[in-house]
Amino acid sequence: MNAAIDIHHIEKSFGRVKALDGLDLSVEPGTVHGFLGPNGAGKSTTIRILLGLLRADAGQARLFGGDPWADAVALHRRLAYVPGDVVLWPNLTGGEAIDLFTRLRGGADPARRDELCQRFDLDPSKKGRTYSKGNRQKVALIAALAADVELLLLDEPTAGLDPLMEAVFQECIREAKESGRTVLLSSHVLAQVEVLADRISIIRQGRIVETGSLTDLRHLTRTTVDAVTDRPADTLAGLPGVHGLEAADGHVRFEVDGDHLAAVVRRLGDLDVHALTVRPPTLEQLLLRHYGDQAVHSGATVAA
Amino acid sequence: MTTTALSRPTTTPRPRGATLAGTGTLLRFMLRRDRFRLPAWTLGLALLMTYFATALDSMVSSPSDLEGLTAFTGSPAGALFGGPGFGFDDLTVERFLAGQYGLYVAIGAGLMGLLTVVRHTRAEERSGRAELVRANAVGRHAQLTAALILTVVMSVVIAVLIGAVMADRGYDTAGSLLFGASVGAVGLAFAGIAAVTVQLSEYPRAASGTAGALLGAAFVLRGLGDMAAVQGSGPSWLSWLSPIGWSQQTAPYVLDRWWPLALSLAFAAAATAVAYTLSGRRDLGAGLLPPRPGPPRAAAWLAGPFTLALRLHRANLIGWSAALIAAGLAYGSFTQPLIDGFADAPDDMVAVMGGRDNMLAGYLGVMALTMALAVAVYAVLAAHLLRTEETDGRTEPVLATGVSRPAWLGGHVAVVAAGVPWLLLVAGLGMGIGTAASTGDAGLAGDVLLGHLAFTPAVWLVLSAAALLYAAVPRWLPVIWVAPAWGLVAGYFAPVLDLPGSLVRLSPFEHIGRYPLERISVVAILVLTLLTGVLTWTAVTVFQRRDVTGGS
Ligand SMILES: Nc1ncnc2c1ncn2[C@@H]1O[C@H](COP(=O)(O)OP(=O)(O)O)[C@@H](O)[C@H]1O
Ligand SMILES: [Mg+2]
């Protein structure tokens, strides 16, 4: 089957800033693809090129096999987009904006729209200017999820949502996947993408540095473990995949590689654990460890 | 290092000026932000005055030349677009400069005052930057106070510069300083007005729009009053209701009276007091009127790029319709008194308006041009709305749906293009009804209406040029202001400034014909419409080639 999104080596510069520097990305139909990268890495730029809003300087981007710049309108009827920073018309209500967007995309089932408004707890009769960031994001999400489209392009869609609404969002994305839709989900938070994505691509300075399934990427991630044990835990230091172990007064703290987690937890159980805190890996840790410090702070490169 | 910590008082007494804390810092910051804008406004207005003076000097070489000027400027139409004409019976170059061109420099100062206040208050609140600023040790009134001080500084600079420019040309020093001060006073008065309008609405554009409409009203009021004054009958007191009128009533180089400026200062002070009171009653970022809920569903017609554009331009179109019909009625109802004023005028004076038989037609033709220029201003502002849609990030999600770029741009241009004849129709109706009522000749209404509508293609051309600029290089869109500005100069001042015909003909408004004085040129209408079509087509084509930028 053809890829829903297929990007080959695209480049894009804004003046002297090189936003994309030979980016490759491929998304299979019917999958949720996590598009992960720090701020300024080029996620939004990539999505805008896929939408035909920006034109790539070099390389090739394909959406459903078509050219996103030349066939923009025909392709847009098959997708829905949620921008990273949703701006609404100040004097149109949220409900009007939702209806407008779904109609411009070819219409949506009103019952589905109302159901989504309820699930996201959105009052559609408020004027655009009175919504908070999170509520503006809900408006765009509802408009996108209500439409009957094949592909969802979501640019950091949960940045302004509270945890409760993020759970609703995750539910909706799972439903979308069950009904066979393809989702490109960009984020700078690893944990948000991890729970939903079948595959993840990590972008850094305008390039994809890692791509694969979660299991493929396990070797890149490290989980932080804090534990209080009755028996001394120093012995864990010798296990494969354990790093930076510190132990004192029955308190132990260490990091463990994703693909060795199971073995280490089994050994930890034998040590009579009283208290246990496990912190999931973060994107920042990952990038810091594998690509050095500047990856996190400076997204794009400035040409000399 | 440690001494600073030691010298800090243990309990902080509440300072008296707490609501003003940080004003000085903010003012310095505003000056830094405006380091180009401030000299541009102040030097620009002073240069404009120098230009007028130089142009006039080169024209007037003998007393008889001056007499020729009196014929136009002493007339009611001259009063409408100039001033009450103090000392025009014994005209000198400086009296003419202050009495005829001073008005336009004063309008410039008024614009400067209101735009400066809006820029540093409501626009900052709207963008959210004010919230960041106010979270620091900055008092509630600091931002408004700093913006007002900045405007006072700019007004004083303008007053001094213009006074110096005029005195330097050898005109009476006291009169020159008074003239400069009267220009600066208009800046202060409209800073005061803007200080109030920014409290009312959450939107900077609504705040500057309201203040701008009041500037227009001030222009119209003093125009009517000055016309009455020149012909010696009618409501000349109307001039005293206008902040621009107060400045003109100082009569520099003639009566040299300073006291009307006391009215300006008192007005500015009162408006500022109102602004502080209102500002204390509202939340940061909010207007005075609480937001109301709206329809939870979109009307069935709101479904495509054209109807979306219609919805977005609707409020502006309604506002402009109301303003233009009011202005039309006001100027139309002045037609008969104006003709009467000319009954006993000497022949050479009448000739300027098209001869004794054509007085009426001349006035109606000039008014049609005036309304067309006003509608051109609407079209340019509407084109700027397009750009704001894009830079704010609202264009991007629309273009990410099934709406094509030509449909999006075309929808907006079509709505504004349809608004142009509509607004000319409304203005023409007001003017026609006013004229018919004032002269008792109902048949004139049709002529007036036709004269207004005939300018449609000229305004269209300005609109399509704006669309092309936006489509090709959106940053350069403001350049389009040259079109209505040149239309004004070529339309009103070509004979006085002795502009060469080739330059005058650059203005699209000069080809149509000022009906009913002149014939309407069908050829011009066809050519301008054709040009509009070509420019619009180019704009739509070019717009498909460039990147569309998002908000973030
Ligand atoms: N319109 C633009 N003009 C100039 N620079 C831009 C523009 N859009 C993005 N950039 C730059 O390109 C880089 C990538 O930005 P973006 O794609 O928005 O990153 P992300 O969405 O991953 O945070 C950043 O350095 C950003 O500053
Ligand atoms: Mg982004």
Side-chain angles (χ1 to χ4, degrees):
Chain A
M1 209 176 184
N2 278 334
I5 296 174
D6 201 13
I7 295 178
H8 276 295
H9 240 72
I10 49 169
E11 294 180 14
K12 178 74 186 173
S13 299
F14 297 103
R16 280 152 43 95
V17 178
K18 188 138 202 174
L20 296 181
D21 188 11
L23 179 126
D24 298 288
L25 183 69
S26 176
V27 177
E28 293 305 313
T31 61
V32 177
H33 197 105
F35 190 31
L36 200 59
N39 291 328
K43 303 182 293 295
S44 301
T45 305
T46 308
I47 293 178
R48 286 180 178 136
I49 287 177
L50 284 174
L51 286 166
L53 295 165
L54 303 180
R55 202 213 282 261
D57 300 335
Q60 195 192 43
R62 295 261 137 195
L63 202 60
F64 305 122
D67 178 350
W69 181 266
D71 315 329
V73 175
L75 295 173
H76 291 173
R77 296 222 167 87
R78 303 167 66 182
L79 63 83
Y81 164 59
V82 174
D85 194 3
V86 180
V87 194
L88 299 175
W89 292 279
N91 46 5
L92 258 64
T93 63
E96 285 182 299
I98 292 172
D99 286 348
L100 179 70
F101 280 122
T102 52
R103 287 172 194 172
L104 292 178
R105 229 176 256 131
D109 177 10
R112 169 115 181 101
R113 162 203 191 274
D114 291 346
E115 181 215 320
L116 284 166
C117 281
Q118 238 164 34
R119 282 169 75 181
F120 277 103
D121 193 22
L122 179 86
D123 176 359
S125 63
K126 281 188 170 178
K127 292 277 171 69
R129 59 167 169 266
T130 62
Y131 284 122
S132 65
K133 176 172 166 57
N135 278 327
R136 292 199 304 267
Q137 212 138 22
K138 287 185 202 170
V139 168
L141 274 171
I142 293 170
L145 293 168
D148 186 17
V149 292
E150 296 163 56
L151 172 67
L152 295 172
L153 292 177
L154 311 178
D155 193 359
E156 310 212 20
T158 56
L161 298 187
D162 58 43
L164 205 64
M165 288 305 136
E166 197 170 328
V168 176
F169 167 76
Q170 291 176 357
E171 221 173 85
C172 290
I173 294 303
R174 286 195 192 101
E175 288 169 14
K177 194 188 152 192
E178 273 160 29
S179 58
R181 295 185 197 173
T182 312
V183 181
L184 181 69
L185 174 64
S186 102
S187 176
H188 64 272
V189 183
L190 181 58
Q192 276 174 0
V193 170
E194 216 176 27
V195 292
L196 290 169
D198 302 306
R199 286 177 76 80
I200 291 182
S201 292
I202 299 177
I203 176 176
R204 174 189 163 253
Q205 298 186 357
R207 259 179 232 235
I208 298 294
V209 291
E210 295 289 341
T211 184
S213 69
L214 266 183
T215 8
D216 295 341
L217 297 183
R218 270 290 163 240
H219 71 280
L220 288 174
T221 62
R222 270 185 203 173
T223 307
T224 311
V225 178
D226 268 289
V228 180
T229 54
D230 264 357
R231 289 198 258 152
D234 316 31
T235 50
L236 295 177
L239 293 177
V242 172
H243 305 270
L245 184 133
E246 294 167 33
D249 308 334
H251 188 136
V252 64
R253 181 200 170 98
F254 59 88
E255 290 181 354
V256 54
D257 288 343
D259 41 356
H260 291 105
L261 187 61
V264 174
V265 169
R266 222 174 294 128
R267 284 289 293 276
L268 192 64
D270 296 338
L271 303 177
D272 291 343
V273 179
H274 284 295
L276 181 64
T277 319
V278 179
R279 257 168 294 140
T282 67
L283 176 66
E284 291 70 25
Q285 275 178 340
L286 189 159
L287 290 174
L288 261 172
R289 217 168 40 243
H290 291 271
Y291 305 101
D293 192 10
Q294 33 90 264
V296 178
H297 300 295
S298 64
T301 46
V302 178
Chain B
M1 288 277 149
T2 49
T3 47
T4 48
L6 289 175
S7 64
R8 195 182 290 161
T10 42
T11 55
T12 324
R14 208 217 211 109
R16 278 163 50 88
T19 59
L20 294 181
T23 304
T25 316
L26 281 180
L27 179 62
R28 274 197 299 280
F29 175 61
M30 288 175 187
L31 283 167
R32 153 111 185 109
R33 261 187 86 194
D34 281 4
R35 63 194 184 283
F36 297 120
R37 194 178 168 275
L38 189 151
W41 267 110
T42 49
L43 289 177
L45 287 176
L47 275 178
L48 182 68
M49 204 60 230
T50 314
Y51 170 72
F52 283 144
T54 320
L56 198 65
D57 263 352
S58 65
M59 269 175 54
V60 177
S61 45
S62 71
S64 68
D65 291 335
L66 268 178
E67 259 170 49
L69 287 177
T70 329
F72 171 68
T73 53
S75 74
L80 183 56
F81 298 113
F86 287 109
F88 277 19
D89 41 3
D90 182 14
L91 197 59
T92 62
V93 171
E94 62 266 37
R95 285 178 178 180
F96 185 78
L97 280 172
Q100 193 70 21
Y101 293 124
L103 173 61
Y104 295 92
V105 185
I107 289 175
L111 274 178
M112 176 207 77
L114 72 92
L115 291 175
T116 306
V117 169
V118 174
R119 167 182 164 86
H120 289 292
T121 57
R122 182 54 79 174
E124 285 294 284
E125 277 185 54
R126 183 70 201 151
S127 71
R129 284 189 292 269
E131 194 170 309
L132 277 178
V133 169
R134 278 271 292 279
N136 298 302
V138 168
R140 189 182 322 126
H141 293 319
Q143 195 126 23
L144 178 59
T145 310
L148 286 171
I149 295 177
L150 175 69
T151 320
V152 171
V153 169
M154 289 173 89
S155 301
V156 170
V157 170
I158 284 188
V160 171
L161 277 178
I162 289 188
V165 161
M166 296 295 274
D168 183 55
R169 299 187 71 82
Y171 308 141
D172 176 56
T173 310
S176 298
L177 289 181
L178 176 59
F179 176 56
S182 62
V183 171
V186 177
L188 292 183
F190 282 91
I193 286 177
V196 175
T197 63
V198 293
Q199 311 302 331
L200 303 180
S201 161
E202 286 166 52
Y203 298 101
R205 228 177 325 137
S208 45
T210 313
L214 288 171
L215 183 66
F219 177 87
V220 171
L221 276 176
R222 61 129 284 284
L224 296 177
D226 292 351
M227 277 207 297
V230 166
Q231 64 194 33
S233 69
S236 59
W237 48 268
L238 283 175
S239 302
W240 290 94
L241 299 181
S242 160
I244 305 177
W246 301 328
S247 286
Q248 292 190 316
Q249 293 298 329
T250 56
Y253 309 112
V254 187
L255 306 175
D256 277 336
R257 47 187 186 190
W258 281 86
W259 61 263
L261 295 187
L263 286 175
S264 309
L265 291 183
F267 176 81
T272 308
V274 171
Y276 279 112
T277 315
L278 294 180
S279 150
R281 293 216 184 129
R282 68 177 182 87
D283 295 334
L284 181 74
L288 271 183
L289 311 166
R292 278 170 299 150
R297 286 175 185 288
W301 57 264
L302 185 60
F306 181 79
T307 47
L308 171 61
L310 187 64
R311 179 73 173 74
L312 297 180
H313 290 279
R314 188 175 69 184
N316 284 346
L317 274 170
I318 292 174
W320 275 85
S321 302
L324 286 177
I325 202 162
L329 284 170
Y331 279 113
S333 58
F334 235 88
T335 311
Q336 193 56 46
L338 182 115
I339 310 296
D340 294 344
F342 265 96
D344 318 316
D347 278 347
D348 57 342
M349 185 162 158
V350 174
V352 177
M353 286 287 276
R356 199 171 292 280
D357 302 331
N358 294 329
M359 270 297 311
L360 178 61
Y363 174 69
L364 297 179
V366 166
M367 284 314 301
L369 170 70
T370 310
M371 294 297 187
L373 289 172
V375 176
V377 169
Y378 161 77
V380 169
L381 288 174
H384 277 79
L385 187 134
L386 274 195
R387 179 156 185 245
T388 316
E389 282 289 292
E390 182 181 346
T391 52
D392 280 3
R394 284 184 293 261
T395 305
E396 185 184 287
V398 172
L399 289 181
T401 67
V403 176
S404 69
R405 293 189 187 202
W408 181 81
L409 182 60
H412 277 281
V413 172
V415 166
V416 182
V420 168
W422 162 256
L423 289 177
L424 285 170
L425 177 86
V426 166
L429 269 182
M431 186 75 199
I433 292 170
T435 307
S438 147
T439 58
D441 180 356
L444 281 177
D447 285 351
V448 170
L449 203 55
L450 185 61
H452 279 68
L453 282 173
F455 276 104
T456 302
V459 185
W460 275 348
L461 188 66
V462 175
L463 169 65
S464 59
L468 180 55
L469 266 176
Y470 164 74
V473 217
R475 266 178 305 129
W476 290 358
L477 179 57
V479 172
I480 195 61
W481 282 112
V482 171
W486 185 248
L488 182 101
V489 172
Y492 294 160
F493 303 120
V496 182
L497 295 177
D498 211 10
L499 293 169
S502 55
L503 280 180
V504 173
R505 278 194 296 277
L506 280 179
S507 162
F509 301 90
E510 293 307 306
H511 300 270
I512 300 277
R514 299 178 190 180
Y515 190 78
L517 177 66
E518 300 163 358
R519 285 176 16 153
I520 295 172
S521 161
V522 178
V523 176
I525 287 188
L526 289 178
V527 170
L528 290 175
T529 308
L530 190 72
L531 275 177
T532 301
V534 170
L535 288 191
T536 309
W537 181 83
T538 316
V540 169
T541 311
V542 167
F543 187 54
Q544 287 173 280
R545 306 229 172 98
R546 74 167 168 89
D547 287 350
V548 168
T549 53
S552 48

